[in-house]
Amino acid sequence: MTVSEEEYRLKFFLDNGFVRRKCKVCGSAYWTLDRDRETCGDAPCQDYTFIGRELKPGVDVPEVRRIFLNFFKCRGHEVVKPYPVVARWREDIYLTIASIAVFQPFVTDGVVPPPANPLVISQPCIRLVDIDNVGLTAGRHLTIFEMGGHHAFNYPDKEIYWKEETVKLCHEFLTEEIGIDERTITYKEDFWVGGGNAGPDVEVCVDGLELATLVFMCLKVRGEEYIPMNMRIVDTGYGMERFAWFLSGKPTAFHAIYGELIDAVCRDARITPPDDELLAKVAKASALMRVERGRTVDELRRELSKVTKIPLEKLEAEVAPLERVFALTDHTKCLAFMLADGVVPSNVGEGYLARLVIRRALRLCDLLRLEEGYLRKLVDEQVKIWGRDFPKLNRMRKTIMEILELEEEKYRTSINRGRSLVARVVKGLKGESLPIDALLQLYDSHGLPPEIVKEEAERLGVAVKVPDNFYGLVAKLHQSARPVKEQIQYNVSGLPPTKLLYYEDQYMFTCESRVLRSDKGYVVLDQTCFYPRGGGQEADKGFLVLGSSKLEVLDVIKIGDVVVHVVAGEVPEGAVVKCEVDAERRLGLMRHHTATHVLLEAVRRVLGEHAWQAGAQKWPDRAHLDVTHYKYPDPQQLKAIEDLANDLVLKNLPVKVSFVERERAEREYGFEIYQGGVVPGRHVRIVNIEGWNVQACGGTHVASTGEVGLIKITKVDRIQDGIIRFEYKAGKAALEYVRELEEGLHNVAQALECPVEQVSAVANKVRTELRQLRKEVEALKGRIAEMALPTILERRSRGEKVIGVELDKVDYDGMTALAEKVLKKVGDVALILLSKQDDRALLVVACGPQAINAGLEANRLALEVAQGGKGRAGGGREIAQGFVEDLKGARDKIEEIRSKYR
């Protein structure tokens, strides 16, 4: 978008002697007090001239944060606590990527007021699109960073401050608080777009480093259009880590952020870091390099060698290993924050992004030749360091360590399994290159790092080019856009909002309503007591009664503020109908919905606060709840969950429902209210089981937990990696389920001819006896199979190269054992075994080494026999197995093969 120069021609600049210049390198306009300056002051137009100059001794990130927050607090800004790094309040992104992101969309759209105005915050943020550049640019790129922001929200009837005051505050902070020479400061003109908003901005640069961005948000982005907002918002971002780097003058940002931790990792990796002079030289040169997507690391390193006059071999030997240490320390801090905020690694959403960072960090550990388990050790150190200012890290430490241990096991398994998978994928590509899509698919579906794929594929003669921004490409595919739920399309324009009587009284099952529209089975009423499908709760059913006719209500949906009833028939518009809700069905739904809230809290209290609702569905007679968790719960945990839930039911706690301002609900209850997803609007409907669970929820609930009745977990499944599903029944449905189990138990007791109380003991005895009998049967089968051994050897002595043998009711294990015994004695034979079962015959083919050399291969022979016998088979050259359904056809095919090799 083209922005007028007047947007940046501020009175502050003009009154204080700033002049507007154009950068001779990038062409950007900027404001400066230095009339001789020729560049905008930002990398790569200028190098890092601050390196080697310590402006404030001993300043680290926590100290910078304290200075920043205190400065703005003293100037009328209220300090707001940081939000989570997982953006639970957003539907369009998974991770908090900027300080303004915590106020989008509700505050920036004017739906809710900000928590304070003006305010200041230091917000941990995570961005993964540039993850491949972390470590390569001396600290210009990080996956996790703190963005300090002072924000002012200007309304049409209330102005806080705008451009002039924003720039003045920034300049005062830089010069008076930080002590920067104002002649070195530049304000570079730019235009910012993000999160559906936009506006002109100035980037604040000093000595080659962009320290802050001052955005003047005044536009809403809709497609390609920029629409003026009712509000004007000051959105600033100050890099806490960049300020720490700038003030310390250290060679890289990583030294300023992590200090002695860098040295510790180098020692553990047996790396001797380059001296500060060499690092400073590399960092300054890297500032002048454009790290663009598409440029390879090799290209960048060659350019760096050329600029610095440092031999390429020296850079690769001394600097490259240290860059991996930088990336590893960055990634482990990122993981500490992600996992502490409840992210469970999985194959979807934020869980996918966490796994991406974990696996890249594990790969870095391997490249640095660090011991197995080192990732956990380093994350633990990060928890200790940052837990002082973010205590949730300490509280979640045990869970973080358990998750990382399991993830490392999965990673190692993927690597071991992956080599054979790569061989299958590249089969037929010899002399060609593996497409990038295939490389992404191998990572996306199987977790195979591209370096492993490259190593194995090139061993097999297939070229692989790994993009240097590979992990960034993967992150970009998964970092935004939560799935949008499909909505039935029906035109409700011109209709007023439906009055929702089921919110006024959740026990209302009848009402009278006027028909506003009736169109091909879709009926809209002025008011209704029918609950529409939504929030994981099924819709009410029942009837619309008009005189002597009753129309069945098949479904109920809500479109915007209008409730649409799907009915079997037509009613005249303007008529008054009686709504009759199926009361028993509604009560079943209410019990199961409240039971879901009860059970979710029990799950979180037993498994941990990382367990987050990933989905739920409620029917009148059952429900299921999906939660994020990294392993299958053990029997003791399941018992504890069920006990906790039923103890809560017995306490008969009130279930209070109220509409609350969103900002007040978030302030009082936290973002846990969004367990069931983000709900729109200024006011949110809060369902509060006092002292137990609070959620924003639009469903119908019973008035107290006692009405839920018995909660019985009927099944627990891991439906996908990182997601556990609890299936359960409540109230009458639970009682009926228990009665069914009891009836089944009585039937078992009757079959075992014992009292119900002794079923367990008698069943165990029967099981032990059955196992013993099975062992005896298997032993007999083995002996029967072995009886064929002398015959087979005798036939081989007569010169038979292919020997077919039929057995009776011997399983694959027995057949394979027989084949192995034969091949130990004679290695030049092909053995074809058929074992008759009830409805088919099992097939095993085995070939000795000399037989294989003579052209007899088990997989080929097995396939021929299976085709002749209308069956299937597969395997390797040494041994193959399958089955046949046409025994005569298989015999004929075996005879044909025997004749061929006589």
Side-chain angles (χ1 to χ4, degrees):
M1 181 178 179
T2 304
V3 182
S4 167
E5 178 186 327
E6 292 305 310
E7 291 284 351
Y8 307 98
R9 191 173 290 279
L10 304 182
K11 186 174 183 295
F12 174 84
F13 290 149
L14 300 176
D15 289 352
N16 288 279
F18 283 82
V19 291
R20 188 172 187 264
R21 292 277 188 265
K22 285 285 183 76
C23 179
K24 71 175 185 179
V25 180
C26 68
S28 298
Y30 63 94
W31 295 82
T32 177
L33 288 170
D34 184 357
R35 294 177 179 271
D36 297 325
R37 173 179 283 279
E38 295 183 318
T39 67
C40 62
D42 191 12
C45 302
Q46 176 186 328
D47 73 4
Y48 298 141
T49 54
F50 64 89
I51 291 178
R53 181 194 65 216
E54 189 176 31
L55 197 61
K56 280 186 182 286
V59 171
D60 56 10
V61 173
E63 179 62 13
V64 169
R65 184 195 310 123
R66 187 197 64 77
I67 292 170
F68 175 79
L69 294 175
N70 190 59
F71 175 85
F72 285 96
K73 180 181 179 182
C74 292
R75 285 155 183 79
H77 294 68
E78 184 174 326
V79 178
V80 174
K81 290 182 179 179
Y83 284 52
V85 297
V86 184
R88 307 283 191 193
W89 59 93
R90 299 278 295 265
E91 290 189 322
D92 55 335
I93 57 175
Y94 293 115
L95 302 173
T96 306
I97 57 174
S99 62
I100 194 63
V102 305
F103 307 115
Q104 291 173 312
F106 300 113
V107 176
T108 56
D109 285 352
V111 176
V112 303
N117 198 11
L119 62 84
V120 63
I121 187 173
S122 185
Q123 175 62 42
C125 302
I126 295 176
R127 294 181 190 172
L128 301 179
V129 289
D130 291 316
I131 189 172
D132 301 277
N133 291 330
V134 174
L136 301 176
T137 55
R140 205 185 332 163
H141 296 94
L142 304 169
T143 62
I144 183 165
F145 56 92
E146 283 188 56
M147 181 179 286
H150 60 96
H151 300 279
F153 303 87
N154 299 290
Y155 296 87
D157 58 347
K158 186 179 181 181
E159 181 89 359
I160 305 300
Y161 63 79
W162 191 227
K163 295 178 183 177
E164 298 288 351
E165 183 67 15
T166 302
V167 177
K168 180 185 174 185
L169 283 168
C170 177
H171 199 74
E172 186 181 337
F173 176 71
L174 295 179
T175 56
E176 297 180 18
E177 191 70 32
I178 300 300
I180 296 173
D181 179 356
E182 64 180 354
R183 289 179 58 82
T184 64
I185 304 170
T186 61
Y187 295 91
K188 185 171 72 167
E189 298 175 7
D190 202 358
F191 187 78
W192 176 90
V193 180
N197 299 108
D201 74 83
V202 290
E203 296 173 356
V204 185
C205 306
V206 184
D207 294 340
L209 190 63
E210 181 188 335
L211 292 174
T213 302
L214 314 178
V215 179
F216 306 107
M217 187 189 294
C218 54
L219 300 169
K220 184 81 177 170
V221 182
R222 287 183 187 161
E224 299 296 317
E225 289 187 274
Y226 292 93
I227 302 165
M229 293 167 57
N230 290 328
M231 299 170 64
R232 295 182 304 158
I233 300 169
V234 172
D235 166 26
T236 67
Y238 293 65
M240 298 293 98
E241 289 82 3
R242 290 193 174 195
F243 272 96
W245 184 17
F246 180 88
L247 292 172
S248 71
K250 291 185 176 178
T252 73
F254 301 100
H255 289 87
I257 301 166
Y258 300 107
E260 294 178 356
L261 189 60
I262 296 290
D263 297 330
V265 178
C266 285
R267 284 194 302 272
D268 293 338
R270 293 174 292 282
I271 291 172
T272 302
D275 58 51
D276 284 359
E277 185 179 345
L278 175 62
L279 280 179
K281 193 174 183 180
V282 169
K284 288 181 178 183
S286 71
L288 299 174
M289 294 165 54
R290 294 188 180 276
V291 184
E292 297 163 340
R293 290 181 176 87
R295 295 191 74 191
T296 68
V297 172
D298 288 341
E299 289 171 347
L300 292 169
R301 199 154 278 143
R302 280 195 295 271
E303 183 181 338
L304 192 62
S305 175
K306 185 177 178 181
V307 171
T308 60
K309 304 290 192 295
I310 300 170
L312 184 60
E313 297 77 13
K314 186 176 179 69
L315 288 176
E316 291 175 343
E318 297 184 23
V319 177
L322 188 60
E323 289 171 343
R324 293 185 183 119
V325 171
F326 293 158
L328 184 59
T329 51
D330 167 270
H331 293 4
T332 48
K333 179 185 177 185
C334 180
L335 287 171
F337 276 78
M338 289 181 83
L339 301 181
D341 266 344
V343 179
V344 173
S346 67
N347 294 326
V348 293
E350 61 267 28
Y352 183 96
L353 297 175
R355 179 165 287 165
L356 181 147
V357 180
I358 289 170
R359 295 201 165 184
R360 190 167 194 271
L362 286 166
R363 181 62 183 159
L364 287 166
C365 286
D366 289 346
L367 292 171
L368 290 166
R369 298 180 181 177
L370 293 161
E371 63 188 357
E372 283 195 22
Y374 191 84
L375 181 65
R376 298 197 299 280
K377 175 184 173 183
L378 191 52
V379 172
D380 199 25
E381 286 300 313
Q382 300 281 18
V383 168
K384 291 173 187 174
I385 293 168
W386 303 103
R388 291 189 284 268
D389 297 313
F390 300 92
K392 189 174 184 180
L393 273 68
N394 294 319
R395 194 168 71 245
M396 293 292 288
R397 178 184 172 277
K398 182 174 180 288
T399 297
I400 293 170
M401 294 301 112
E402 287 182 359
I403 288 175
L404 290 173
E405 184 176 8
L406 286 171
E407 283 298 303
E408 182 159 2
E409 287 176 13
K410 291 176 183 177
Y411 172 77
R412 303 293 172 202
T413 302
S414 295
I415 299 300
N416 294 335
R417 188 179 61 228
R419 298 189 185 277
S420 59
L421 180 61
V422 173
R424 291 201 298 273
V425 171
V426 303
K427 189 176 181 181
L429 290 177
K430 195 164 185 177
E432 301 178 34
S433 295
L434 185 70
I436 179 63
D437 289 346
L439 196 62
L440 286 167
Q441 183 66 26
L442 283 167
Y443 180 84
D444 221 22
S445 300
H446 305 284
L448 285 178
E451 302 88 353
I452 297 293
V453 177
K454 178 181 173 69
E455 177 187 309
E456 186 63 18
E458 291 184 346
R459 188 182 67 82
L460 297 170
V462 176
V464 177
K465 184 178 180 182
V466 180
D468 285 307
N469 64 330
F470 177 84
Y471 289 96
L473 289 172
V474 175
K476 194 173 182 181
L477 290 172
H478 291 268
Q479 74 166 1
S480 61
R482 298 175 192 266
V484 178
K485 296 175 183 175
E486 290 186 13
Q487 173 75 308
I488 292 176
Q489 298 300 312
Y490 179 76
N491 186 7
V492 295
S493 59
L495 291 169
T498 308
K499 188 175 182 181
L500 310 178
L501 299 178
Y502 53 80
Y503 278 164
E504 295 181 9
D505 180 1
Q506 295 177 102
Y507 292 85
M508 181 184 291
F509 305 122
T510 62
C511 71
E512 289 192 344
S513 307
R514 186 172 298 279
V515 179
L516 301 181
R517 182 181 292 175
S518 180
D519 176 27
K520 298 177 181 178
Y522 293 96
V523 176
V524 177
L525 308 173
D526 63 340
Q527 60 180 8
T528 186
C529 55
F530 280 94
Y531 178 82
R533 175 162 35 90
Q537 180 177 323
E538 290 294 291
D540 285 334
K541 292 189 178 180
F543 297 93
L544 297 184
V545 181
L546 179 61
S548 59
S549 64
K550 294 178 77 171
L551 298 180
E552 185 179 1
V553 176
L554 305 172
D555 198 3
V556 189
I557 56 176
K558 191 165 183 274
I559 302 173
D561 294 325
V562 178
V563 175
V564 181
H565 305 73
V566 182
V567 301
E570 298 288 333
V571 290
E573 292 184 2
V576 175
V577 296
K578 183 180 181 182
C579 299
E580 291 184 352
V581 173
D582 183 333
E584 199 55 43
R585 175 185 168 84
R586 160 77 74 78
L587 288 169
L589 286 163
M590 290 164 66
R591 291 188 195 101
H592 281 91
H593 204 144
T594 304
T596 300
H597 289 218
V598 171
L599 189 66
L600 173 62
E601 189 62 33
V603 168
R604 283 170 60 81
R605 295 194 183 194
V606 173
L607 299 184
E609 58 186 281
H610 65 279
W612 195 272
Q613 181 175 320
Q617 191 67 39
K618 306 96 184 174
W619 293 272
D621 61 343
R622 68 194 190 282
H624 73 238
L625 170 68
D626 300 336
V627 297
T628 57
H629 188 54
Y630 48 89
K631 62 181 179 181
Y632 191 88
D634 61 43
Q636 291 76 21
Q637 288 174 321
L638 294 177
K639 182 179 184 301
I641 290 167
E642 195 172 77
D643 286 348
L644 260 180
N646 283 293
D647 287 347
L648 195 281
V649 168
L650 292 173
K651 289 179 180 177
N652 199 27
L653 296 179
V655 180
K656 296 186 176 180
V657 180
S658 60
F659 283 89
V660 180
E661 294 89 352
R662 180 183 297 276
E663 65 275 15
R664 179 185 149 203
E666 290 179 354
R667 185 171 61 250
E668 291 185 10
Y669 306 120
F671 295 106
E672 282 77 8
I673 62 171
Y674 298 130
Q675 288 279 348
V678 181
V679 292
R682 167 74 191 278
H683 292 84
V684 294
R685 185 170 179 265
I686 292 294
V687 176
N688 184 358
I689 303 175
E690 290 189 338
W692 185 253
N693 179 270
V694 183
Q695 286 189 56
C697 177
T700 55
H701 291 266
V702 293
S704 65
T705 59
E707 292 184 49
V708 171
L710 172 68
I711 296 175
K712 182 63 188 169
I713 298 172
T714 58
K715 187 179 180 183
V716 180
D717 253 341
R718 194 178 78 157
I719 60 168
Q720 67 183 56
D721 200 14
I723 305 288
I724 304 295
R725 170 167 290 177
F726 292 83
E727 297 182 14
Y728 48 96
K729 292 176 178 285
K732 291 181 179 178
L735 185 59
E736 288 171 6
Y737 174 76
V738 172
R739 282 175 176 162
E740 287 174 9
L741 293 180
E742 191 177 47
E743 184 180 345
L745 187 62
H746 278 288
N747 291 338
V748 172
Q750 191 173 3
L752 293 174
E753 298 179 346
C754 70
V756 170
E757 296 80 7
Q758 295 178 17
V759 163
S760 179
V762 174
N764 282 330
K765 182 182 177 184
V766 170
R767 184 176 62 176
T768 302
E769 292 173 354
L770 186 59
R771 281 178 178 170
Q772 185 58 37
L773 287 171
R774 282 176 177 163
K775 284 181 182 178
E776 292 175 8
V777 168
E778 293 303 317
L780 285 172
K781 286 181 180 178
R783 287 177 197 160
I784 292 169
E786 283 186 13
M787 289 171 65
L789 184 58
T791 304
I792 294 170
L793 296 176
E794 191 272 331
R795 288 171 63 182
R796 178 65 197 99
S797 68
R798 296 201 307 262
E800 292 187 36
K801 294 180 181 178
V802 178
I803 300 174
V805 177
E806 287 191 24
L807 305 167
D808 189 45
K809 301 252 190 239
V810 178
D811 60 14
Y812 282 124
D813 289 341
M815 297 165 74
T816 303
L818 173 60
E820 287 173 349
K821 286 181 179 178
V822 171
L823 296 182
K824 278 183 181 179
K825 294 182 179 294
V826 285
D828 58 351
V829 69
L831 185 63
I832 304 176
L833 303 176
L834 286 174
S835 177
K836 289 175 282 186
Q837 309 293 316
D838 294 332
D839 58 346
R840 61 172 62 178
L842 304 182
L843 169 67
V844 170
V845 180
C847 294
Q850 294 93 326
I852 292 171
N853 291 336
L856 292 165
E857 296 179 347
N859 49 0
R860 183 174 55 79
L861 295 176
L863 191 59
E864 288 185 41
V865 175
Q867 287 172 345
K870 297 179 182 178
R872 296 177 64 184
R877 294 193 307 165
E878 295 85 4
I879 192 161
Q881 66 182 37
F883 68 88
V884 297
E885 293 182 347
D886 179 359
L887 191 57
K888 183 180 182 303
R891 285 170 179 155
D892 292 344
K893 179 57 69 173
I894 292 170
E895 189 56 39
E896 181 184 318
I897 295 169
R898 289 183 67 242
S899 300
K900 183 178 177 182
Y901 288 98
R902 281 198 178 115

